[in-house]
Structure formats: structure tokens, C-alpha cells
Amino acid sequence: MGRKLLLDKAHIEGIRYYDTYRSNGGYAAAEKALKSMGPDAVVEEVKKSGLRGRGGAGFPTGLKWSFIAKPEGVPRYLVCNADESEPGTFKDRYLMEFIPHLLIEGLLISSFALGANSAYIYIRGEYAWIPDILEQAIAEAKNKGWLGKNILGTGFDLEIYVQRGAGAYICGEETALLESLEGKRGNPRIKPPFPAVKGLWGCPTVVNNVETIAAVVPIINIGGDEYIKFGIGKSTGTKLISACGNINKPGVYEIEMNISVEEFIYSDEYCGGIKGGKRLKACIPGGSSVPVLPANLLLKTAKGETRMMTYESLNDGGFATGSMLGSGGFIVMDEDQCIVRNTLTFARFYHHESCGQCSPCREGTGWMKKVLHNIEYGKGKMSDIDLLWDIQRKIEGNTICPLGDAAAWPVAAAIRHFRDEFEWHVKHPDEALTRNFGLAHYADPLPLPEPAAV
Amino acid sequence: MAEEKKLFKVKIDNISVEVEPGTTILNAARKIGGDVVPPAMCYYSKLQGSGGKCRTCLVKVSKGSEADPRPMPKLVASCRTTVMDGMEVANITSPEVQEARKGVVEFLLLNHPLDCPVCDQAGECDLQNLSYEHGAEATRYEFKRRTFDKIDIGDKIQLHMTRCILCYRCVYTADQLTEKREHGILGRGDASEISTYIHQSLDNEFIGNVIDVCPVGALTDKTFRFKNRVWFLKPVDAHRNCENPKCCGKTVLWMRGDEVFRVTARKDQYGEVEDFICNTCRFDKKEKSDWIIEGPRKIDRHSVISQGHYVNTVKPKDPLVEVLDGRQPKLLFDIHTQSQVNRPDIDLSKIEGPAHSDDFNK
């Protein structure tokens, strides 16, 4: 049974409310940080823990915090990115809905470490019911003296505000989020300057994901040295994974980053195997924007080693044979799934969500969607596959924000690993909709137990 | 004694230049000039916050700086990236940049109609120049292009959104020059469009400048549309004492004979307005007598409008006069007096809308 740090109290009834949370050890980390540690010591502890941003990019959190500019007389801000909009990713929703005080405690500790007196939770518009839960928890915390002026008599002040987004995926990009928070159209800013220097209202700002901020609580509780022991190498601690697709047990799981992908998919503790006993065809391990991996590359790395649920192992081989842990949106596809249709679905999403600021993303995402639509619906040509490859190549890396990359990578990976399936669609336009591809990308199913002797 | 400013040494396409800290790569390249200057469709030095959107000015930073020589992982927008001491940049020497730029041109032309034969921006269109220099011979786009109805945004400006490449220059102009938000972007992705709020008109004494900053033919001067092609006109520098204290009154008159077809602000060698002008100068002063003519305008750009506008040219002697022992040849036939079309008594610039056969039957 894997150890848990974030969801260890999730099963306790009423943990959403302050009294239950507090009586089960809640706010002990905040008390420790504010009373017996200084801001610098908290930053050092987070650095020591090796915590990496859980929003997708995986940048070291402590290092990001240390970049924040500290000019005299200028306020600093902490912004919690709760605009969880990546298709396949729904882990932050679970945290905010069931253990909101964990996030508030994390915000309190993080703001203290950064010297921020205002923290914002920018939450996805579609999570319509969660802001009420958060606001209730904030009110409880304030009543108990954990927010407001002179917290615990330390002289530290903090207010937390909840801001609802209007439902645009691009507002999950940190600079677009800041624009939206300032009341403007959610267009990404051009970096540099980075938010740590010039962020919200032109002031130094740190933007962290919900899970990242929540993870600060156990780090302070158990210490950075202990936190490292939950994981391997540079993938330290635990990670929330939202698993979905053709698996027996979809849901949000907290894993120690020392288990294999195979264990995660087939173990009863997690996904419980492929639904209906079918064969595993492919998996997108980190949310829709990361490259899809065929089964043969999913369970083993390019070097033939066991693929682990870690940043490094999932990256192994680069985009040619690897993928990314990303935001932990684990989408599993069985043998009946059509890669072309899946790629079209994602292309349609990214086309719809492009802000339209820069030319490659604005025009390229729509073009890819139209070409994919033709291939999927039996109107494609062989040359369209090369055209798709070329379009994604001209988008990737050439846009203001990573949405261009997010749109390009799924298409690139689908062609790289499943080109024969695209060709099959072109050659058999009438049969394409039957989804009986007869193509070999599948992992052999795990051996079934021997039938009991009669 | 004033403290000596430290200059940053930058190498662009192996050509060294020294610039002040804070200079962008694009402006450092402009200091060198010539082919190493990246093209720019959305950057406009006179407008704050512009640039970084069209991605035509992408360059490769092969060495970050003297202190940190690592190359930048991705191509960067040269108009928004500032130089560092010892930075090395590849523009025309990088096949990767050229390939990316070719891709950007293709993207920009996906929804842009190639209606140069009827577009009023033909001859002075940045996208036209860009596509000649970096574009492919043919398009690979086989889908229906987006189209919009033309909108009159104000009595003198027409928006032809179909041609717009969403460079945002006009939005910045309206925001910054007129001190009043006039219009913006509606919609997202390839459905985004420039618009006023529910088709309101743009009426501000400086709003005509949105026409000058538009790199393509999306915003056109209704007093000039279809009156003439720019390469048939002679640009001359002119000025007047404008009543508007914010207007410099210095303009370029685009003339044919004594007829003033249009008035624009003066632009520098990169096609950027030097001083913005008011609507009165631009739209209402169309008589030669309104202006003090300074002399021919030097068109310092490599577009078609610079063709034929030669300065200090030496014409060969007319041998006919010598053959005729100094006598001028006898004019047997004056086309202007005989033609039924080009009647010299008709001022094309004063006809409402495009010239029509009815105008010549009066």
C-alpha cells in the first residue's frame, strides 16, 4: 500500500471543515513555519525537498521562489493556479473540493515564505461549485485567526481571495492568468519579464499550481529530507494522478514516485487493469498536451528498462520514444480506440482554445484540425500526413506561450508512433469508421491466472 | 564629467554592433541595416507594447551572452528580446530561422486573400514584400478561407477584416494615440476579429492613423479607395500650419499632376510613421494650394512604390532633336485631347468612390 501525504486524511468524514481538519493535525505545519521557522528557512526546506511544480512543467518550486524580486516598498503576490483545464486532468479539483484547508494552509506557509500579504486563487470557471467551498474554508480560517492581520502574533498579514475564471483554457498559462486576474483579456504575456520580476499589477509574483502549494504542508510537517524518500532521483515526494480512459478504476490517486507504469495501470490499488480485459493500446501519461505513447514504449523505456511514474523515466528517449509526466492526467486507451479520432478531438480542443495572438498558433491549430478531420472522415490524402507533420513542426517552439507546443506535440506523437493508422484511414476511407484497424501497437495482456483444476 | 555609458557588443549574422543596454535584437539589427534586419509585421517602434505576435521576426540566439554563453532553446521574437553583452544572433545565416519564417508567412497567408490587383495597399503592403522574400511558391491550404463583410468604421475608414492579419497595431494606435479605447479584438483563435463595440464608428481626430499603421489592406482610406495605384502617384513631402496643436502638419502628398489623391504621415525606412497626423490634414486637405510643397519624397523601401521614383537620374540625350538640327519634333497627335477616357478636366480624386464610365459621360 503506497504511503500518502496529501490524501492521507481524505477519507475522514468532515475533513472539509476546519474543526475536523484542525483536530486531525491541520495547521500544525503553518504553526511550525510561522512560529519556529523564518521565511528563508521555509524556502530552504522546500528547496531541500526537491518539490517540482505539479502544474505540468515540473520546474523546481524552491528555485522558482528564490527568483522572486524583493524591491523595497513593492508588494509581492502569490497566485494559486486552479485553472485546471487540461483534458484528462482533474486532480486539483479533488483537493479543493474535499480538503480545501490543505490548500489554504499551503497558501499561508507559501505566502509567509515569499513575503506576500495577498494571495489569489484563480479558479477555473467550470468548477462552479468549488469557489463556494473555498470561500467557506477561508472564512473559517479567518475566524480562527489563520488569516487576516498579525497571524499568530507574528506580525504577518495575509488575505486570500478567490477569483473565478470565465472558462478559457489559455488562462491556465501563468501570464494569461495574470492578465485575466487584472481584468483584461486572457492573452499570454511575452516573457521576459517573468512574473517573479513583473507579475500581477507589475509586482513580483509567484504562480504555483494547487497541488504544488498543498505539497508544501507535508514538506514542512515531515521535513525536506524525509520528503525526498517518497520518490526516486529528482522526482521526489508523492504525485496526484488523475486516471481515466479504458481502465477499471478511474479516479484520482496519490502515488509515491517510485512505482512502475505497469503497476499503476494493472495494480488493483490504482487503475485495476484495462476495462473488459482488453489489450492496452496507448496511453497519454500527463494530460492531453503531452505525447501519446504506444503500449510497447509505455511499459519499457527506450533502454529496455521498466518505465516508472517519474518525470525522468517518462521523459526517457525524448519525444522519439518518451513523453512527459506533465500535469498527471493519465489517459489510457484500449485496443478499440482510434488514434486519429483522439488526435482530432485534441486538435479541435486546442484550435478552440487558442487565444489568437500569434500567427502560428492562431492559424496552424485550425489548419491541423481541418486536415485531421478530412483524414478521420475518409477524405484524406497520403500527402496530408506529411502536411500535418510539417504544420506541427512549424508551430512548435514558435509561439508566445506553450499552447502552440501543446497543440503540436499530440499530433507529432500520433504520427510518429501510429503513422500506419493514419495511412490505414486514408487507404480505407469507408472502413475507417468501423474502428477495426488490425494494426499492431498493443501490449500483450498480463497473463491470466491459470484456471483452477477441475 | 558625464559617466560613460557601457555599450553591449552584439554579433548579428557575424556582423558586430555596439548598442545600449535595453536595445532589442531587432533594433540592434536595424542599426546595422540591410538584409540582417528581421522583418516585422506587428512591431511598431512608436507604439508601446507592440510586437511579439506575428512571429516573423524570429531569430536564433546561438550565444546568450559573454557571462552565459548557452544558446537559447527556442527561436525568439527579436522585437521583444533585449540584447546581452556578447550575444550572438543568427538571422539570415540560420536555416532554422528561414524555415520558421517561411512557415509564418504561410500561416499569415492562410486566410489572407491574394487580392492585390484590387487591394488599395498593393505596392506598399508589408505582407506582399514578406511573401516575396520568404514565402513559398504555392499554398498547401485547401480549405475555405474566412471572409467578413466590409464595415465602415467611421465616415472615412473602411475595415476589410478579410485581409486583416491581427497584428494589433491599430488597436494600440487607437488606445495610445487617441487616449480613448476605440476598438479591440473580439473572439478567439482564428475566429478573432478587429471590431468596434457593436459596430460603433471610430471618430477621433487622430483615428486616421490606424490606416497608416496597418501593414496590409485591412484598414483603408475611403477618400482614396480605388482612385489610383500608388506606383502611379508621385509622393512629395509637404507641410501646412495645422490648427491642431498635437498635429505636426508634416505629411506626404500622393499626387498625379496637380491632383492630390491621398495624404499620409511620413514614414521611415521601415515603414513606420515618424509623426502621427490629424484627420483634417489626412482627409480634408486635398488641394495642392492647402500645402507648402517641400520636394520629392525619397521612398527608402524595396517595395514596388520605390520603383520609378529615381533621384538624380541622368537621362540620355534625345537624339531626335539633333537629327532635326535642333528643331523640336512636331506633335502630330495628343492622346489627352483625343482620348474619350482620360479627360484632363476630370479630377479622379474628387469623384465619390471608384471612377465609373458615367463620370466621363457628363
Side-chain angles (χ1 to χ4, degrees), chain A residues 309-325:
Chain A
M309 292 290 285
T310 64
Y311 291 95
E312 293 78 25
S313 183
L314 281 165
N315 281 350
D316 184 84
F319 287 166
T321 55
S323 184
M324 293 164 80
L325 183 57

Side-chain angles (χ1 to χ4, degrees), chain A residues 134-156:
Chain A
L134 290 172
E135 275 169 359
Q136 189 190 349
I138 289 168
E140 283 179 336
K142 195 163 183 179
N143 278 339
K144 299 291 179 183
W146 294 101
L147 295 174
K149 296 273 179 200
N150 194 20
I151 300 166
L152 301 182
T154 57
F156 176 64

Side-chain angles (χ1 to χ4, degrees), chain A residues 65-353:
Chain A
W65 286 8
S66 64
F67 290 153
I68 194 164
K70 294 176 179 169
E72 279 296 311
V74 177
R76 280 167 248 159
Y77 295 106
L78 172 64
V79 177
C80 172
N81 186 346
D83 193 79
E84 184 178 52
S85 318
E86 182 91 342
T89 307
F90 44 90
K91 64 187 175 68
D92 293 341
R93 163 184 159 175
Y94 191 90
L95 266 181
M96 290 187 288
E97 188 170 352
F98 295 104
I99 326 170
H101 280 285
L102 185 68
L103 175 61
I104 292 163
E105 189 179 357
L107 280 168
L108 173 55
I109 299 168
S110 308
S111 301
F112 175 68
L114 294 164
N117 298 117
S118 300
Y120 293 86
I121 303 172
Y122 184 93
I123 187 163
R124 179 182 184 192
E126 289 88 338
Y127 287 170
W129 68 102
I130 298 180
D132 295 338
I133 296 171
L134 290 172
E135 275 169 359
Q136 189 190 349
I138 289 168
E140 283 179 336
K142 195 163 183 179
N143 278 339
K144 299 291 179 183
W146 294 101
L147 295 174
K149 296 273 179 200
N150 194 20
I151 300 166
L152 301 182
T154 57
F156 176 64
D157 308 332
L158 177 67
E159 293 293 343
I160 299 177
Y161 306 95
V162 180
Q163 175 67 44
R164 298 168 198 239
Y169 172 72
I170 189 62
C171 291
E173 197 278 333
E174 61 175 359
T175 57
L177 187 157
L178 295 177
E179 286 281 293
S180 176
L181 202 52
E182 288 180 6
K184 294 182 247 170
R185 186 186 157 97
N187 280 354
R189 295 175 183 170
I190 294 160
K191 293 189 272 192
F194 289 89
V197 177
K198 199 175 173 187
L200 188 64
W201 314 114
C203 301
T205 304
V206 164
V207 183
N208 278 146
N209 172 260
V210 171
E211 189 190 341
T212 315
I213 290 172
V216 173
V217 177
I219 289 170
I220 299 302
N221 265 330
I222 64 173
D225 291 331
E226 199 60 31
Y227 188 80
I228 289 174
K229 293 176 186 167
F230 291 74
I232 308 171
K234 289 180 180 171
S235 300
T236 61
T238 61
K239 172 91 187 81
L240 295 186
I241 303 286
S242 50
C244 61
N246 308 116
I247 46 175
N248 285 318
K249 291 165 61 187
V252 177
Y253 297 101
E254 183 173 7
I255 59 160
E256 285 186 62
M257 285 200 274
N258 60 6
I259 64 166
S260 68
V261 173
E262 188 170 339
E263 184 187 346
F264 185 70
I265 294 176
Y266 290 104
S267 144
D268 273 344
E269 190 182 344
Y270 303 111
C271 301
I274 308 298
K275 204 170 182 180
K278 292 185 177 170
R279 289 192 294 175
L280 169 68
K281 179 178 184 180
C283 175
I284 302 168
S288 70
S289 64
V290 311
V292 61
L293 281 181
N296 54 337
L297 292 174
L298 179 67
L299 305 182
K300 297 277 180 197
T301 67
K303 297 168 195 158
E305 293 164 355
T306 302
R307 181 91 70 182
M308 306 297 284
M309 292 290 285
T310 64
Y311 291 95
E312 293 78 25
S313 183
L314 281 165
N315 281 350
D316 184 84
F319 287 166
T321 55
S323 184
M324 293 164 80
L325 183 57
S327 58
F330 201 83
I331 308 167
V332 179
M333 293 179 230
D334 71 16
E335 57 191 293
D336 293 339
Q337 298 308 306
C338 171
I339 292 295
V340 178
R341 171 159 284 199
N342 272 285
T343 313
L344 169 62
T345 304
F346 294 141
R348 193 185 291 133
F349 173 80
Y350 289 109
H351 168 235
H352 183 259
E353 295 297 338

